[in-house]
């Protein structure tokens, strides 16, 4: 069966520090992968998606970047965090049947 | 462009009441998928249902039921005899089937359901 791992679960980082969040999927190959952000009390905003290794599409201009160095690995990064980067970050993959399966999320607080 | 609207920000009910969560969507595609997800306090999103645009049959799963109406572009979710464990944020989502193979999943802003004993 397919599983998705996302870490860390919580993170507190100072403004201006770098960020690296990792997501890996097991049990499937060539999945569509997604990064979403959920600001406190708000909906899910699609940040990046990837249909294959090295293929990244950005939905919203921002202080973040994404990379997909391996088929089942998706990384969200920032060189210098801003206060506005705080939020709940969710990684997801799409199965052939269409529904997305989410990781447990990373709660990022920038201080 | 695809868009999902969940006009109800928060709903409070007492246990055993029925509650309906509204979802209205916009799309230019004739082929699309609609979804509902539940986000409990732990934060992880839990998939509840997927419906494709060619299937307007309503669906029932235990205390949950979904009413899909293309004429009004709505995909409403009803919980019958609500329970405290139903307290969560519920998201409606839409995905257009694009020829390139990528399906962007767009979410509404969510409805927070509070069920009190």
């Amino acid at each position: 069966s397919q599983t998705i791992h996302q870490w860390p679960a919580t993170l507190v980082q100072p403004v201006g520090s770098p960020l690296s969040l990792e997501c890996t999927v097991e049990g499937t190959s060539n999945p569509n992968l997604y990064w979403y952000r959920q600001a406190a009390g708000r909906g899910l905003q699609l940040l990046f998606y990837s249909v294959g290794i090295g293929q990244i599409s950005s939905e919203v201009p921002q202080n973040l970047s994404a990379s997909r160095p391996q088929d089942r690995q998706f990384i969200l990064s920032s060189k210098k965090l801003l206060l506005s980067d705080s939020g709940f970050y969710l990684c997801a993959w799409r199965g052939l049947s269409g529904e997305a399966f989410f990781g447990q999320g990373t709660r990022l607080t920038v201080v | 462009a695809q868009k999902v609207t969940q006009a109800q920000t928060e709903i409070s009910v007492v246990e055993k009441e029925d509650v309906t969560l509204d979802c209205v969507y916009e799309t230019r595609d004739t082929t699309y998928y609609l979804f509902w997800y539940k986000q409990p306090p732990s934060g992880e999103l839990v998939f509840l249902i997927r419906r494709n645009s060619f299937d307007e049959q309503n669906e029932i799963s235990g205390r949950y039921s979904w009413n899909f109406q293309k004429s009004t572009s709505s995909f409403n979710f009803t919980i019958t005899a609500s329970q405290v464990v139903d307290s969560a944020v519920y998201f409606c989502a839409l995905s257009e089937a694009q020829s390139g193979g990528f399906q962007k999943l767009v979410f509404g802003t969510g409805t927070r359901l509070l069920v009190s004993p």
Side-chain angles (χ1 to χ4, degrees):
Chain A
S1 63
Q2 300 87 0
T3 56
I4 180 168
H5 302 280
Q6 187 181 340
W7 66 92
T10 59
L11 193 59
V12 180
Q13 291 284 104
V15 169
S17 64
L19 172 73
S20 180
L21 301 181
E22 189 164 342
C23 170
T24 59
V25 181
E26 295 178 359
T28 184
S29 59
N30 197 30
N32 285 351
L33 296 173
Y34 304 74
W35 277 111
Y36 285 87
R37 176 171 62 198
Q38 184 178 24
R42 302 187 65 180
L44 289 158
Q45 180 187 34
L46 178 61
L47 302 177
F48 300 95
Y49 63 88
S50 172
V51 299
I53 296 174
Q55 300 179 62
I56 307 295
S57 294
S58 174
E59 282 296 293
V60 181
Q62 58 214 318
N63 185 43
L64 302 168
S65 62
S67 62
R68 186 167 176 177
Q70 299 179 42
D71 181 45
R72 287 170 284 181
Q73 184 184 30
F74 204 23
I75 298 172
L76 183 69
S77 304
S78 174
K79 292 182 179 177
K80 288 185 178 181
L81 284 169
L82 306 172
L83 286 174
S84 57
D85 292 324
S86 294
F88 190 54
Y89 290 82
L90 287 153
C91 178
W93 71 277
R94 292 288 294 277
L96 291 177
S97 53
E99 59 264 39
F101 298 94
F102 287 82
Q104 293 187 318
T106 296
R107 198 166 299 281
L108 171 66
T109 304
V110 183
V111 296
Chain B
Q2 55 195 102
K3 182 181 177 182
V4 176
T5 301
Q6 294 180 255
Q8 304 153 307
T9 304
E10 185 170 307
I11 301 175
S12 293
V13 299
V14 178
E15 210 169 17
K16 297 185 183 177
E17 284 186 22
D18 298 347
V19 58
T20 295
L21 310 181
D22 298 333
C23 173
V24 175
Y25 62 92
E26 296 177 28
T27 177
R28 296 178 191 163
D29 273 18
T30 56
T31 303
Y32 52 89
Y33 298 93
L34 295 163
F35 306 82
W36 275 96
Y37 285 83
K38 174 181 179 180
Q39 186 179 41
S42 61
E44 183 177 353
L45 268 80
V46 178
F47 166 75
L48 295 178
I49 189 172
R50 179 188 70 132
R51 174 68 65 207
N52 72 55
S53 53
F54 298 110
D55 183 3
E56 284 194 75
Q57 277 192 331
N58 292 329
E59 182 159 338
I60 298 175
S61 175
R63 296 184 297 107
Y64 295 170
S65 62
W66 291 270
N67 184 349
F68 176 29
Q69 293 196 341
K70 290 178 75 171
S71 60
T72 56
S73 296
S74 65
F75 186 43
N76 297 337
F77 173 29
T78 297
I79 301 175
T80 303
S82 60
Q83 300 176 2
V84 173
V85 294
D86 295 327
S87 296
V89 180
Y90 291 86
F91 289 96
C92 181
L94 165 70
S95 176
E96 295 172 340
Q98 299 176 1
S99 58
F102 169 72
Q103 299 172 0
K104 188 163 61 175
L105 190 58
V106 173
F107 286 80
T109 51
T111 297
R112 181 177 300 277
L113 174 64
L114 299 172
V115 182
S116 55

